[in-house]
């Protein structure tokens, strides 16, 4: 595995790719972003081998695909779940075309769980959440949504008490 300086480019795969199997490291370097480092961890950036959907070598994709599949939210959900999304949120986007955002990601589990109606999606329109927090709309959404979330939860608890 080739080691490169902290200022070197790690994410550009070499041409041609070295021999190896998916998951084998190609390059590594120490992580130079203290905010992203895990205390006491090895903290290295690693470029590894993988394959594209067509089976051709791709130095990025296979591990990413496995991570996305492991996080797929399209599962039967037996308890109520509430998802809140501010349209102006720059950290987590409602619709960051061309990639699916929260709007699209909510569709699958909502369809899967439609009979139980366990998914409650509360999108806030642009401008509805004031960006008065130091960290912007993403964290301001929590404060903005607290009263409505509390009402939603109280109604669930009242329904459960009647059952």
């Amino acid at each position: 595995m080739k080691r490169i300086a902290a200022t070197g480019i790690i994410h550009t795969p070499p041409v041609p790719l070295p021999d190896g199997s998916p998951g084998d490291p190609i390059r590594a370097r120490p992580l130079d972003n203290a905010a992203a480092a895990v205390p006491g961890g090895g903290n290295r950036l690693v470029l590894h081998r993988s394959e594209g959907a067509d089976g051709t070598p791709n130095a990025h994709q296979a591990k990413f695909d496995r991570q996305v599949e492991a996080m797929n939210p399209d599962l039967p959900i037996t308890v109520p779940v509430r998802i809140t999304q501010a349209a102006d949120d720059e950290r987590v986007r409602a619709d960051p075309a061309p990639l699916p955002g929260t709007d699209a990601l909510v569709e699958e589990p909502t369809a899967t769980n439609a009979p139980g109606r366990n998914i409650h999606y509360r999108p806030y329109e642009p401008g509805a959440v004031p960006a008065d927090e130091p960290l912007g709309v993403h964290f301001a959404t929590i404060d903005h949504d607290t009263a409505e979330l509390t009402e939603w939860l109280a109604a669930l608890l009242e329904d459960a008490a009647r059952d």
Side-chain angles (χ1 to χ4, degrees):
M1 172 175 48
K2 183 178 179 185
R3 301 204 184 276
I4 59 175
T7 57
I9 297 172
I10 190 167
H11 298 294
T12 303
V15 178
L17 286 173
D19 290 335
S21 299
D24 288 349
I26 296 171
R27 295 187 175 132
R29 72 167 171 82
L31 181 66
D32 57 1
N33 180 346
V38 175
N43 298 309
R44 301 190 64 76
L45 289 176
V46 177
L47 177 66
H48 58 85
R49 287 186 57 85
S50 61
E51 303 180 334
D54 62 358
T56 59
N58 174 324
H60 304 282
Q61 195 63 44
K63 184 174 181 181
F64 176 77
D65 290 345
R66 285 191 303 272
Q67 290 170 340
V68 168
E69 186 57 36
M71 297 184 303
N72 186 343
D74 189 20
L75 301 168
I77 297 172
T78 59
V79 297
V81 173
R82 189 164 190 276
I83 301 166
T84 303
Q85 173 70 56
D88 297 328
D89 190 339
E90 293 293 324
R91 289 175 183 245
V92 178
R93 305 291 232 121
D95 185 16
L99 300 173
T102 304
D103 292 349
L105 293 174
V106 167
E107 290 174 9
E108 278 186 331
T110 298
T112 297
N113 293 282
R117 300 171 42 147
N118 285 328
I119 308 293
H120 177 80
Y121 181 38
R122 175 55 168 108
Y124 284 101
E125 297 298 319
V129 177
D132 56 357
E133 292 285 326
L135 297 173
V137 172
H138 183 72
F139 290 98
T141 302
I142 297 167
D143 288 340
H144 184 78
D145 189 55
T146 299
E148 190 174 314
L149 171 64
T150 302
E151 290 174 18
W152 176 78
L153 184 57
L156 290 174
L157 293 172
E158 289 169 8
D159 289 348
R162 282 193 285 267
D163 290 344

